[in-house]
Amino acid sequence: MLQVHLAALSLLLAAPPELAKGMVVSCPGMGETWGEEEMQVALQKVKQLGTTWVELHPYAGVETDGRIRFRPAAQTRFLERGAAFVKASGLSLYWVPHLAYWGRFDWRGTIDFGKDHEAWARFFEGYQAFIVDQAKFAESVGAPMFAVGLEYEATMGHEAEWRRIIT
């Protein structure tokens, strides 16, 4: 079942027209439901609320040894279908790749490998492979907005690695 986050609905409706009015459309698992027909119904509902942007957030897994696990986006037909549903609905797509930390870290902000330099190297190498794959996919489906990094507070001491990835 898709979940539409409505906590900020009153702010969305009261926002000046020149602002982007966005919502996250979330679902269980790795995002398979975005590619199902019920996604079209959910998108029409959020559009009726005055939403102009929709965020989809595909996942990769992060392990405590720094490894990042992901399937290339092109191999996940449900992501392509979800992006196509957003485009067909007339909404703009904000692509925000996430790391699934469940069972390994308290939240994304606590992803930390201490002084384990090899784990940090694995993390940034794997994250770069994941985020570049996601960026190429987002470009291929015409997503006008893309995010790199999300709440990774404990990684902020690694500015050079982040700059390399962003470049």
Side-chain angles (χ1 to χ4, degrees):
M1 167 183 258
L2 291 167
Q3 300 171 352
V4 178
H5 296 257
L6 299 176
L9 179 58
S10 61
L11 292 174
L12 173 71
L13 296 175
E18 67 275 4
L19 294 179
K21 299 175 184 177
M23 286 193 164
V24 175
V25 178
S26 192
C27 63
M30 301 305 268
E32 295 86 352
T33 310
W34 292 322
E36 296 175 6
E37 299 301 319
E38 70 181 286
M39 177 64 164
Q40 294 178 53
V41 175
L43 291 170
Q44 288 311 308
K45 287 180 181 179
V46 298
K47 190 172 181 178
Q48 289 170 359
L49 295 171
T51 303
T52 57
W53 286 82
V54 170
E55 175 195 308
L56 298 184
H57 49 90
Y59 283 99
V62 59
E63 303 295 334
T64 56
D65 68 355
R67 284 180 299 129
I68 304 292
R69 297 174 290 102
F70 70 96
R71 266 191 304 176
Q75 295 177 11
T76 53
R77 179 85 173 112
F78 61 89
L79 292 178
E80 186 177 338
R81 284 181 50 110
F85 289 154
V86 172
K87 188 173 188 174
S89 74
L91 295 164
S92 295
L93 178 58
Y94 180 26
W95 201 255
V96 186
H98 282 37
L99 291 179
Y101 58 89
W102 313 293
R104 295 168 202 84
F105 299 94
D106 293 334
W107 70 290
R108 286 176 196 87
T110 62
I111 295 171
D112 192 348
F113 309 104
K115 296 182 188 270
D116 187 341
H117 300 293
E118 292 165 358
W120 279 113
R122 276 190 296 274
F123 173 80
F124 283 109
E125 181 181 324
Y127 185 82
Q128 181 169 348
F130 168 61
I131 207 70
V132 167
D133 174 75
Q134 290 292 312
K136 289 177 179 178
F137 179 80
E139 183 177 48
S140 77
V141 297
M145 192 166 13
F146 181 81
V148 175
L150 177 73
E151 304 173 331
Y152 307 134
E153 187 175 311
T155 71
M156 297 315 300
H158 297 270
E159 182 178 343
E161 290 91 335
W162 283 114
R163 289 187 178 278
R164 180 178 44 82
I165 287 170
I166 292 166
T167 300

